[in-house]
Amino acid sequence: MADDSLASHRRDPIKSSVGNVAAQRRRQNAATVGKERRESLVRAKRLCRVGATGEGDVLVEENHMMTDEEGFLLEDQTSSAVKELKSAVVYQGKGAMQKRVNALRELRRLLSKSEFPPVEAALKAGAIPLLVQCLSFGSPDEQLLEAAWCLTNIAAGKPEETKALLPALPLLIAHLGEKSSLPVAEQCAWALGNVAGEGEELRKVLLSQGALPPLARMVLPNKGSTVRTAAWALSNLIKGPDPKAATELIKVDGVLDAILRHLRKSDEELATEVAWVVVYLSALSNFATGVLVKSDALQPLVERLATSNSLQLLIPVLRSLGNLVAGDSHTTSTVLIPGHEITDGVIKVLVKCLKSDHRVLKKEASWVLSNIAAGSIEHKQLIYSSEAVPLLLRLLSTAPFDIRKEVAYVLGNLCVAPATGEGKPDLIKENLVSLVQRGCLSGFIDLVRSADIEAARLGLQFTELVLRGMPNGDGPKLVEQEDGIDAMERYQFHENEDLRNMANGLVDKYFGEDYGVNE
Amino acid sequence: MASRPIVSGNDNRKNPKFSLPSVCVYFETPCFVGDLFELVKMAMEITQFLLAAQSADAKVRTEAETNLRQFQEQNMPVFLLSLSVELSNEGKPVESRRLAGIVLKNSLDAKDAIRKEQLVQQWMAIDVSIKSQIKDFLLKTLGSSVSEARHTSAQAIAKVASIEIPRKQWPELIGSLLNYMTQQEKPASLKQATLETLGYVCEEISHQDLVQDEVNAVLTAVVQGMNLADHGPEVRLAATKALYNALEFAQTNFENEMERNYIMKVICDTAMSKEVEIRQAAFECLVAIASAYYEVLEPYMQTLFQLTSNAVKGDEETVALQAIEFWSSICDEEIELQEFESPESGDSGPPHSFFIEKALSSLVPLLLETLLKQEEDQDQDDTIWNISMAGGTCLGLVARTVGDAIVPLVMPFVEANIVKPDWRCREASTYAFGSILEGPTVEKLSPLVQAGLEFLLNAMKDGNNHVKDTTAWTLSRIFELLHCPANDFSVISPENLKRVLGVLLEGIKDAPNVAEKVCGAIYYLVQGYEDAGPSSSLLSPYLTEIISCLIATADRTDGGDSKLRSSAYETLNEVVRCSNTAETASIIAQLLPVIMNKLSLTMEIQIVSSDDREKQGDLQASLCGVLQVIIQKLSSTDETKPIILQAADQIMLLFLKVFGCRSSTVHEEAMLAIGALAYATGSQFEKYMPEFYKYLEMGLQNFEEYQVCGITVGVVGDICRALDDKILPYCDGIMGLLLKDLASSELHRAVKPPIFSCFGDIALAIGEHFEKYVPYALPMMQGAAEICAKIETSDDEMMDYGNQLRRSIFEAYSGILQGFKTVKPEAMVPYAQHLLKFIELVSRDSQRDESVTKAAVAVMGDLADALGSNIKVMLKESAFYDEFLGECLQSDDEQLKETAGWTQGMIRRVLVL
């Protein structure tokens, strides 16, 4: 706040004496010297790196050499808050309810105050049985809510801390029911979401105790934070790896409709959570994937991709789309028919993602395209003639490795005809010639050099196409120009037999003794 | 190459475990009966404690403060409520009401960001019913008959508003305040307090926190309060001051021509009020407008020139000073525009209106006139600020703004006045010349300076003290700006150096104020020879004489205060620092025992009064400063370093004795010198640690004098580098204190960034042994990282602080990661995600400082380097770093490019592992 006198605004006179300035500079100089020395020391450390990661086990010293007062204070307060809660729970006199709520609120405050909630102290002091008791049926909402909130933050702790909630799970699930007030149900869903996020084992427990149906019913209404929280919790619950939960979810009455409705109409935050549900549905359950594809789920996904700029939302939506395309051949063959509006829409949003600044979007859009490009000749031609190809070519030469690999799949798929059976796939010559002319070969040769087996194989496969398929026998010359021979010769003694044979076979076949004789 | 299977859905999932933010308050519970009882009890006792807390008797005071603290700890909400009751109670003494208001205000805000956040959380956790009672009491107090109560209440309201208005928790505040303003029958005192409150509120919140209608209503109320016809002087003064605070707030209104015209008209009218205080406040508004709304001022400049010109010429000094300040502020704006103007893209950035250039021919004469209004003894006192000094300062800014164009306008004045018999004319002439030396080109100035130098040297014998003072200052400006032998340019030829030094070493014997300015001239003269290659030899023959003159000057007793002495010693430091090491090492080696002897003599000064102690402290500070520079200088080459090593034991002994005298300023300088000594001695410093350690502890605990604490933190870093892992036995203690410092709300925030950097220094020194501190240090670093995200971007000072903080957090991570690299990298895995998020956040901030960028890129590489495959998945999930590295690789800064390249290599390595 301003000083009482505004007149304090005064600049330094131009005519000043040297003493103060000089002392100031000298001190700054000392600080700068220290800073420079620090920098040169760190630089030296950076340059002289030793080995990969030394795995030396150093004894963990178990001494409390210092007191982080704040941490201890919080832990102390927590222990006494639990003690207070204990006495409030047994107290039966006048104002017992208020006393319990106050004690709960105090504990909840402590647990939600810092980024490192004193969960351990709360557990050690015996909070769980008390909190379970506070969740008993017929308790006032305020009490339920505070107790569930405490449990939520305890569940957000380390794995074994989350596990400590086991005795509370049946009651938390019970309070999800229709008879509970919305805030209570939401808080319980939140706690359960944290539990489900911990891992497979706890998810199994939750599913066996029947957490899924009530949570699923919570996502049916049109809006509200409760829906979002429930969707989030569900997405954690159906993560698998067992696909049963995902299949069960999509079968719950009204859930499919609600998902489609939220994808179409809800705000971005809710749509984001719902999109994650769709990601897991489509990633795990063939049944769910089939149902979603048949119910036109593609349409709202494409719309979201076209209209939103929220990365949070775009990532799960794009991945859902990709899963639907990759997971069910029905999608490509009967929904994304070339010439249909939806198909053009998909290509358009994928192009948008290719243009985005975000690596994940570029990578996954390429992945989706690669799967569409694996479809019919018409699909290949559709992509081939779209705006995607120039973008893909650029990405192949400039993008980070993981994107290039996905891009290579797309371009590779564009050059081969749909597989008919065993043996080498047939070429689509004009695509191959034109893409090679536009400079894609060097990108593939780069992949041949990669340490990633899958990428290297892809590079070799494409090289094979070029060697075999370029007209006038130009293939070998082109490959040689891009240093392809050198790249392939590295596989001469490679440990991976498949790659070794492939590379050696190509070198022998196309660059054998006769190579270059004709010139 | 057929269709491939699903990409697992499991990645990129956000953290599945949420923790509810603590701000979530679900229920509002009423004030309980128990609380009410406490309130009554507290309210009865609080008056006496508040009064006692202001007692002259320290014992009474401490006891009262303890009692107040107990109240506070017992029940914070009720404590605050009872303070507001006290403040509003007309039956209570003024003193207790005022302090109640101040304590309440300080419970809502603090300078330190961490502490402030705690206070905000604390306030928000209070039950709504209690908060609304407190707010009602505060608003009620605005109607008090006691002006101090009104004033403190206005401040407290603004603090509450700063928390609640951005969170939309006090929507009725503005309405209530405006209501006070619009009711005709309300007393002037209430309106005055209301305006004051509005001003403070505007200062606390952003205009975006209110809807535009509210902003408009506030401004209307304030501007109407300035209306002559409707209000008495108290209200108009309060309104004008409120407008000053509300100016930043009026952005939208200033964009609208009609509203802008209206506001400007009211201010200009107010600037001609009958009451001088109101005129001054109005001019202060104009000064603020010059900075905030430079780009829309064009249409008003004619009027503003008239207004300021009249004020400079004929108004009271307080008003005239603001009128000059208006032009200085315009210069600031234009200089900034010129500095940011990139030569390639002329079109970007806000427009430059060339106000100074356009007004130049009238403005310069106006300012030159002010130079003739000197006060008799202005050179004796540094704190004096009057019209001639403000005018000269403004003239200097004008010169920096327009460059060469000022020279022909000033030179006739210089030439006409320099020979006049009246000393005022000669002084003003010299001052004018000295003021315009920065800005115009060297080509323009150097013939003038060449021609005038001899005249100036002679003027050092002028009969008038002021003339000599200003002449010496002008010489120092010439040496600062037009003497650069390192770049082969100087107005001083090797031939006339002897003559120049002769005059200076004679002049240094003149009156103390003149001698001090001569020190400045010598300071800049020798500075020119720093790194000047062969030219630096020019000074070597004179070195002994210069040094002995400076020591003699430092020994003078006619200076009155220590100013001359400290100027002389600082000049000596510069002489040592800039001298040609090879040629002068023996001279400096001889200086060392002289200074050490002087320092040891200070221990024998008889201390009778606190005044004596202060004098001793000042002298020790100066001498420690000289030792610091000598140690640095001599330890910089292998040939001269043994001189320091031989004397190290004795030097250290002296420093320890200085610490024994326990004056904090000494502490600071001795500490700084010890940092230099540690660097010189390297691991040998270990033997001093047992003795020195307790002073290190004292320094780290010095919360009140935060500079001392800050310097000590820096010295810990120096010692880490000197001792390496030999510092280990002291680390528990040091880390404990550093963590306490970080957690302290008392300690000035400026020290906190260096502490984080110091974590890095310690970790680099002790490597894997840092692990036991990780659970304590890392949460602090994470907490600070989160604070960075919340820092107000509109406040330059806070931005600067934010940049320092971010850089230092990165430095801490770098040190720890590099320290753990070979042995214990996995200890940092749990913290990697948070760090990556933080780097990402920083990388997305377009306003980040270059040094922050460097530190961010480096720490990213350290992360990959140290943790390797442990963070492969995390890196794959991060979308941001390609772009960020790309940006850095395209930088012009070679070092940044190199670091970014290294980081890229480290990341690639991880990704292919």
Side-chain angles (χ1 to χ4, degrees):
Chain A
M1 175 139 330
D3 290 338
D4 289 352
S5 63
L6 293 170
S8 60
H9 185 97
R10 149 102 80 96
R11 58 180 69 234
D12 293 331
I14 192 170
K15 192 175 158 190
S16 58
S17 61
V18 74
N20 300 334
V21 188
Q24 199 61 36
R25 266 189 218 157
R26 182 165 53 75
R27 275 180 220 138
Q28 267 168 11
N29 182 33
T32 316
V33 168
K35 216 184 272 173
E36 280 165 6
R37 289 191 189 133
R38 172 185 303 133
E39 267 168 30
S40 67
L41 187 65
V42 187
R43 280 162 75 88
K45 289 246 179 192
R46 285 188 184 129
L47 297 177
C48 91
R49 39 179 338 284
V50 191
T53 42
E55 300 288 313
D57 278 18
V58 170
L59 284 175
V60 179
E61 289 174 55
E62 291 283 345
N63 65 350
H64 286 279
M65 45 76 211
M66 99 185 85
T67 58
D68 181 359
E69 285 179 3
E70 252 177 76
F72 282 150
L73 190 63
L74 195 58
E75 282 169 22
D76 274 357
Q77 288 173 332
T78 307
S79 308
S80 48
V82 174
K83 240 178 252 158
E84 187 64 25
L85 178 61
K86 196 173 283 174
S87 77
V89 166
V90 295
Y91 177 73
Q92 295 295 343
K94 215 172 131 208
M97 192 267 274
Q98 195 58 55
K99 199 166 145 93
R100 261 198 310 277
V101 171
N102 286 348
L104 278 170
R105 177 176 305 136
E106 179 55 24
L107 180 60
R108 179 265 292 170
R109 273 190 189 147
L110 294 167
L111 283 169
S112 51
K113 203 163 147 182
S114 107
E115 207 196 337
F116 298 91
V119 174
E120 202 185 330
L123 292 179
K124 218 183 266 168
I128 294 286
L130 299 170
L131 291 170
V132 172
Q133 216 172 327
C134 292
L135 284 179
S136 60
F137 292 110
S139 304
D141 276 0
E142 195 173 350
Q143 177 181 323
L144 291 172
L145 193 109
E146 293 288 359
W149 188 341
C150 290
L151 288 166
T152 302
N153 288 8
I154 291 174
K158 303 188 191 103
E160 64 279 14
E161 294 167 348
T162 312
K163 249 177 235 163
L165 256 74
L166 274 171
L169 299 182
L171 279 168
L172 286 171
I173 295 172
H175 286 298
L176 296 174
E178 278 86 1
K179 283 184 196 138
S180 301
S181 74
L182 273 186
V184 170
E186 178 177 3
Q187 198 55 57
C188 291
W190 197 322
L192 292 169
N194 279 342
V195 174
E198 181 46 52
E200 188 185 355
E201 192 190 329
L202 283 172
R203 283 200 276 279
K204 274 193 180 144
V205 174
L206 287 172
L207 290 167
S208 71
Q209 295 187 356
L212 191 136
L215 273 178
R217 278 193 291 278
M218 285 171 74
V219 300
L220 302 184
N222 276 334
K223 58 182 177 192
S225 67
T226 314
V227 183
R228 193 171 69 232
T229 306
W232 167 75
L234 272 177
S235 73
N236 273 352
L237 188 61
I238 63 166
K239 260 182 193 171
D242 189 340
K244 234 166 53 200
T247 309
E248 187 188 340
L249 175 61
I250 201 73
K251 286 179 177 166
V252 173
D253 258 358
V255 163
L256 176 63
D257 279 352
I259 287 175
L260 295 171
R261 184 156 32 87
H262 291 314
L263 285 179
R264 270 189 218 113
K265 294 192 185 142
S266 294
D267 59 82
E268 294 207 329
E269 280 181 322
L270 175 51
T272 303
E273 296 307 340
V274 171
W276 279 110
V277 173
V278 177
V279 166
Y280 294 113
L281 286 173
S282 57
L284 292 164
S285 163
N286 291 334
F287 176 79
T289 309
V291 171
L292 285 164
V293 170
K294 286 192 194 85
S295 327
D296 263 348
L298 248 46
Q299 187 61 42
L301 292 173
V302 169
E303 269 163 33
R304 285 288 180 181
L305 282 172
T307 53
S308 172
N309 285 315
S310 152
L311 187 63
Q312 308 292 355
L313 174 59
L314 293 176
I315 289 177
V317 171
L318 179 57
R319 193 168 299 166
S320 296
L321 178 69
N323 282 343
L324 292 180
V325 171
D328 188 347
S329 57
H330 175 77
T331 312
T332 321
S333 61
T334 61
V335 181
L336 296 181
I337 299 168
H340 283 200
E341 202 176 316
I342 179 79
T343 315
D344 292 338
V346 167
I347 303 288
K348 206 185 244 172
V349 293
L350 292 175
V351 165
K352 172 185 166 184
C353 293
L354 287 181
K355 285 181 182 166
S356 104
D357 291 336
H358 294 288
R359 169 198 188 96
V360 177
L361 293 185
K362 285 193 274 208
K363 176 176 161 187
E364 300 213 355
S366 308
W367 163 64
V368 181
L369 275 172
S370 77
N371 283 336
I372 300 176
S376 68
I377 292 281
E378 290 77 20
H379 284 108
K380 291 173 199 289
Q381 292 315 110
L382 180 68
I383 295 175
Y384 183 77
S385 55
S386 76
E387 215 187 318
V389 169
L391 291 168
L392 291 167
L393 285 167
R394 186 160 350 118
L395 289 174
L396 185 66
S397 61
T398 57
F401 172 74
D402 54 341
I403 299 180
R404 278 192 279 138
K405 192 166 121 187
E406 294 300 338
V407 167
Y409 271 113
V410 190
L411 295 173
N413 276 343
L414 289 181
C415 296
V416 292
T420 45
E422 292 302 304
K424 284 174 185 159
D426 290 332
L427 287 159
I428 303 178
K429 205 170 234 169
E430 57 279 30
N431 289 5
L432 177 68
V433 171
S434 133
L435 288 174
V436 169
Q437 275 168 1
R438 288 155 84 177
C440 76
L441 181 57
S442 68
F444 280 97
I445 300 280
D446 261 356
L447 292 184
V448 174
R449 291 201 186 88
S450 141
D452 177 312
I453 304 282
E454 193 189 342
R457 175 177 294 118
L458 191 55
L460 284 172
Q461 284 171 340
F462 191 83
T463 310
E464 191 272 333
L465 293 181
V466 172
L467 291 170
R468 167 159 60 103
M470 289 304 281
N472 310 325
D474 279 349
K477 225 181 334 177
L478 289 167
V479 171
E480 189 186 11
Q481 276 166 14
E482 297 294 346
D483 273 343
I485 304 177
D486 170 63
M488 286 189 286
E489 278 175 346
R490 291 173 187 212
Y491 288 88
Q492 211 163 359
F493 305 107
H494 197 272
E495 59 197 5
N496 184 307
E497 192 185 348
D498 197 19
L499 290 185
R500 190 174 65 225
N501 292 342
M502 229 166 124
N504 292 348
L506 289 177
V507 174
D508 288 347
K509 181 165 177 191
Y510 293 100
F511 302 101
E513 284 174 17
D514 298 339
Y515 180 64
V517 168
N518 296 341
E519 281 166 44
Chain B
M1 291 190 207
S3 158
R4 287 168 306 123
I6 300 155
V7 168
S8 145
N10 211 356
D11 42 13
N12 265 71
R13 186 62 173 119
K14 67 190 172 192
N15 184 357
K17 294 180 182 179
F18 285 169
S19 169
L20 280 173
S22 54
V23 295
C24 246
V25 178
Y26 277 99
F27 293 102
E28 298 162 15
T29 39
C31 179
F32 301 121
V33 181
D35 287 348
L36 205 58
F37 174 71
E38 254 182 275
L39 175 63
V40 173
K41 180 170 147 270
M42 243 188 229
M44 279 165 58
E45 292 175 2
I46 205 162
T47 312
Q48 70 188 75
F49 293 145
L50 287 167
L51 290 174
Q54 301 171 72
S55 160
D57 183 339
K59 201 166 142 265
V60 175
R61 215 162 51 222
T62 323
E63 203 177 309
E65 281 163 4
T66 314
N67 283 322
L68 287 172
R69 203 166 310 123
Q70 269 172 6
F71 270 171
Q72 190 172 355
E73 280 158 11
Q74 263 167 30
N75 193 335
M76 188 68 192
V78 172
F79 176 66
L80 295 181
L81 181 56
S82 55
L83 288 173
S84 68
V85 171
E86 180 79 15
L87 175 62
S88 70
N89 190 336
E90 294 284 289
K92 297 285 186 173
V94 182
E95 293 76 19
S96 70
R97 294 177 69 184
R98 192 179 55 90
L99 188 58
I102 291 173
V103 174
L104 179 56
K105 185 189 89 175
N106 292 343
S107 309
L108 297 166
D109 192 16
K111 284 222 158 72
D112 180 79
I114 298 171
R115 172 80 185 140
K116 181 172 177 165
E117 187 58 28
Q118 286 169 351
L119 292 174
V120 169
Q121 294 302 334
Q122 173 185 293
W123 171 259
M124 297 210 306
I126 295 176
D127 279 298
V128 172
S129 64
I130 294 192
K131 282 191 287 194
S132 79
Q133 288 181 60
I134 294 175
K135 291 186 281 190
D136 287 346
F137 281 120
L138 288 174
L139 282 170
K140 185 181 145 211
T141 311
L142 293 181
S144 163
S145 59
V146 180
S147 75
E148 280 185 294
R150 295 196 301 269
H151 173 68
T152 347
S153 179
Q155 291 182 316
I157 290 172
K159 292 301 174 195
V160 177
S162 79
I163 300 173
E164 295 202 338
I165 295 229
R167 295 173 174 81
K168 312 285 178 216
Q169 286 170 352
W170 199 1
E172 65 279 11
L173 169 66
I174 298 295
S176 311
L177 291 174
L178 293 175
N179 195 26
Y180 285 160
M181 287 309 295
T182 46
Q183 290 176 27
Q184 284 293 319
E185 73 284 0
K186 295 285 182 195
S189 61
L190 173 62
K191 292 190 171 167
Q192 176 253 332
T194 305
L195 284 164
E196 190 179 13
T197 312
L198 282 169
Y200 289 156
V201 170
C202 291
E203 201 188 1
E204 288 288 335
I205 64 175
S206 152
H207 64 103
Q208 282 144 353
D209 294 332
L210 297 181
V211 295
Q212 188 59 35
D213 281 351
E214 286 174 309
V215 174
N216 295 345
V218 169
L219 277 170
T220 308
V222 169
V223 174
Q224 277 173 0
M226 294 165 73
N227 193 323
L228 182 62
D230 299 340
H231 301 286
E234 297 83 10
V235 172
R236 284 191 292 123
L237 180 60
T240 314
K241 286 183 174 175
L243 181 63
Y244 177 88
N245 285 331
L247 280 171
E248 289 280 348
F249 209 81
Q251 278 169 25
T252 313
N253 310 77
F254 261 85
E255 280 160 22
N256 176 316
E257 193 188 341
M258 244 172 56
E259 294 182 41
R260 183 171 70 229
N261 285 344
Y262 180 66
I263 297 173
M264 289 300 290
K265 181 178 172 333
V266 173
I267 298 175
C268 290
D269 289 349
T270 311
M272 293 184 290
S273 297
K274 180 160 105 264
E275 300 81 359
V276 60
E277 244 191 300
I278 299 182
R279 287 203 303 278
Q280 184 190 337
F283 270 103
E284 275 160 11
C285 288
L286 290 175
V287 171
I289 288 171
S291 303
Y293 299 109
Y294 170 87
E295 65 281 356
V296 297
L297 281 185
E298 177 83 65
Y300 316 105
M301 281 315 272
Q302 195 70 35
T303 315
L304 291 174
F305 184 83
Q306 274 316 320
L307 212 54
T308 50
S309 165
N310 291 341
V312 172
K313 281 179 190 150
D315 209 326
E316 303 275 340
E317 185 172 52
T318 54
V319 183
L321 284 175
Q322 290 304 321
I324 296 174
E325 185 60 28
F326 172 82
W327 289 102
S328 291
S329 298
I330 295 278
C331 289
D332 288 342
E333 291 306 308
E334 299 198 339
I335 290 170
E336 197 177 348
L337 284 172
Q338 282 154 209
E339 275 170 5
F340 281 97
E341 197 174 72
S342 51
E344 309 96 67
S345 60
D347 51 353
S348 64
H352 191 313
S353 302
F354 301 99
F355 292 138
I356 298 296
E357 199 179 300
K358 288 175 196 159
L360 199 63
S361 60
S362 325
L363 182 60
V364 170
L366 181 71
L367 293 173
L368 289 172
E369 281 306 302
T370 65
L371 304 187
L372 292 158
K373 298 182 181 169
Q374 305 97 324
E375 286 172 279
E376 274 305 336
D377 49 2
Q378 64 179 21
D379 291 325
Q380 309 300 329
D381 184 356
D382 262 0
T383 60
I384 279 183
W385 181 243
N386 58 33
I387 292 193
S388 73
M389 294 174 108
T393 303
C394 186
L395 191 66
L397 289 167
V398 172
R400 286 174 54 199
T401 311
V402 301
D404 287 353
I406 198 167
V407 176
L409 293 168
V410 171
M411 284 318 287
F413 177 86
V414 173
E415 283 153 11
N417 285 287
I418 195 74
V419 288
K420 288 203 179 146
D422 183 355
W423 71 266
R424 288 175 189 278
C425 298
R426 298 200 304 282
E427 197 276 340
S429 157
T430 317
Y431 191 19
F433 189 62
S435 296
I436 62 164
L437 290 173
E438 189 181 359
T441 57
V442 170
E443 294 73 35
K444 188 88 180 169
L445 288 174
S446 75
L448 295 172
V449 172
Q450 303 275 14
L453 185 61
E454 189 55 31
F455 191 96
L456 286 169
L457 291 173
N458 285 328
M460 285 304 293
K461 294 206 166 58
D462 194 288
N464 179 277
N465 174 290
H466 295 288
V467 175
K468 286 187 285 190
D469 185 291
T470 304
T471 304
W473 170 75
T474 302
L475 286 171
S476 78
R477 294 265 292 172
I478 290 174
F479 302 150
E480 182 186 358
L481 298 160
L482 294 158
H483 163 64
C484 191
N487 294 341
D488 283 327
F489 166 77
S490 175
V491 290
I492 302 167
S493 61
E495 295 72 42
N496 66 5
L497 179 61
K498 190 179 160 86
R499 155 97 172 117
V500 168
L501 272 169
V503 170
L504 293 177
L505 295 182
E506 189 59 35
I508 206 169
K509 295 176 189 142
D510 209 316
N513 62 310
V514 178
E516 210 196 318
K517 298 292 189 299
V518 173
C519 285
I522 298 175
Y523 180 93
Y524 288 112
L525 182 70
V526 298
Q527 195 174 70
Y529 295 105
E530 187 189 7
D531 303 324
S535 298
S536 68
S537 300
L538 291 173
L539 208 58
S540 302
Y542 307 103
L543 208 65
T544 313
E545 199 188 348
I546 297 175
I547 290 176
S548 55
C549 274
L550 286 170
I551 289 182
T553 307
D555 287 342
R556 278 168 66 160
T557 50
D558 61 344
D561 53 21
S562 62
K563 244 173 60 192
L564 175 58
R565 191 178 60 221
S566 88
S567 287
Y569 277 130
E570 289 300 346
T571 304
L572 177 60
N573 291 338
E574 200 66 359
V575 171
V576 171
R577 202 176 67 79
C578 300
S579 66
N580 181 319
T581 315
E583 292 170 4
T584 59
S586 63
I587 303 174
I588 294 168
Q590 285 165 21
L591 180 62
L592 179 62
V594 175
I595 301 295
M596 285 169 65
N597 187 40
K598 279 182 174 293
L599 185 56
S600 77
L601 286 176
T602 63
M603 316 296 168
E604 284 152 35
I605 295 177
Q606 268 216 323
I607 308 291
V608 183
S609 62
S610 64
D611 218 28
D612 294 339
R613 181 162 309 283
E614 196 183 329
K615 272 187 190 148
Q616 181 194 41
D618 286 349
L619 184 54
Q620 289 175 338
S622 288
L623 292 165
C624 287
V626 182
L627 286 177
Q628 179 219 337
V629 174
I630 295 178
I631 294 169
Q632 259 179 12
K633 182 76 176 180
L634 293 181
S635 60
S636 67
T637 72
D638 288 341
E639 293 74 43
T640 50
K641 199 171 187 173
I643 306 173
I644 295 299
L645 295 183
Q646 277 159 23
D649 286 357
Q650 279 171 284
I651 299 178
M652 194 61 200
L653 203 63
L654 275 173
F655 289 152
L656 291 172
K657 277 189 188 163
V658 169
F659 283 131
C661 298
R662 284 215 191 171
S663 159
S664 56
T665 44
V666 165
H667 206 144
E668 187 178 353
E669 290 291 354
M671 202 42 100
L672 210 53
I674 284 176
L677 189 67
Y679 177 68
T681 58
S683 62
Q684 294 293 308
F685 194 83
E686 193 188 6
K687 63 178 168 183
Y688 308 126
M689 280 305 282
E691 267 293 291
F692 171 56
Y693 178 67
K694 66 176 172 200
Y695 299 111
L696 205 59
E697 275 190 333
M698 270 168 55
L700 292 177
Q701 285 168 309
N702 197 340
F703 288 180
E704 299 86 58
E705 290 157 303
Y706 69 90
Q707 293 97 333
V708 175
C709 188
I711 282 176
T712 313
V713 171
V715 169
V716 171
D718 290 334
I719 294 177
C720 285
R721 285 181 285 275
L723 293 188
D724 254 340
D725 58 356
K726 287 184 184 154
I727 198 170
L728 192 57
Y730 303 96
C731 281
D732 283 359
I734 292 173
M735 280 300 295
L737 290 173
L738 291 176
L739 288 165
K740 259 193 199 144
D741 284 348
L742 279 180
S744 159
S745 54
E746 279 170 78
L747 184 63
H748 193 281
R749 65 167 196 237
V751 185
K752 297 193 174 175
I755 291 177
F756 285 117
S757 307
C758 191
F759 283 175
D761 295 335
I762 293 173
L764 278 175
I766 63 172
E768 76 270 20
H769 299 293
F770 196 83
E771 191 187 6
K772 60 179 170 176
Y773 310 121
V774 165
Y776 305 90
L778 267 290
M780 292 281 199
M781 287 154 62
Q782 295 183 334
E786 262 135 53
I787 285 178
C788 291
K790 290 186 202 150
I791 277 177
E792 186 71 46
T793 50
S794 60
D795 181 340
D796 285 350
E797 204 182 314
M798 279 313 284
M799 282 278 286
D800 192 37
Y801 178 66
N803 280 326
Q804 283 177 32
L805 196 56
R806 292 192 282 186
R807 189 174 58 230
S808 67
I809 297 168
F810 287 142
E811 282 171 351
Y813 275 113
S814 284
I816 297 171
L817 286 164
Q818 286 297 342
F820 281 176
K821 179 167 68 180
T822 46
V823 199
K824 264 264 160 232
E826 64 281 1
M828 285 301 286
V829 172
Y831 304 96
Q833 188 74 53
H834 195 280
L835 172 58
L836 261 182
K837 279 265 150 56
F838 181 42
I839 300 173
E840 174 168 7
L841 201 71
V842 169
S843 77
R844 300 211 187 292
D845 173 10
S846 56
Q847 304 210 48
R848 82 188 111 81
D849 192 67
E850 176 113 328
S851 65
V852 175
T853 308
K854 268 186 204 168
V857 171
V859 78
M860 180 102 200
D862 293 328
L863 190 65
D865 185 13
L867 301 192
S869 58
N870 288 313
I871 56 155
K872 185 172 178 173
V873 179
M874 274 177 237
L875 278 177
K876 281 193 165 171
E877 294 310 324
S878 293
F880 74 95
Y881 62 82
D882 272 327
E883 197 180 329
F884 183 43
L885 284 177
E887 180 201 314
C888 298
L889 286 168
Q890 276 162 21
S891 158
D892 295 332
D893 185 316
E894 283 306 319
Q895 209 191 341
L896 177 56
K897 262 207 291 217
E898 183 198 309
T899 311
W902 173 78
T903 297
Q904 197 174 41
M906 286 298 125
I907 291 177
R908 279 205 189 122
R909 214 185 102 250
V910 169
L911 291 178
V912 300
L913 271 178

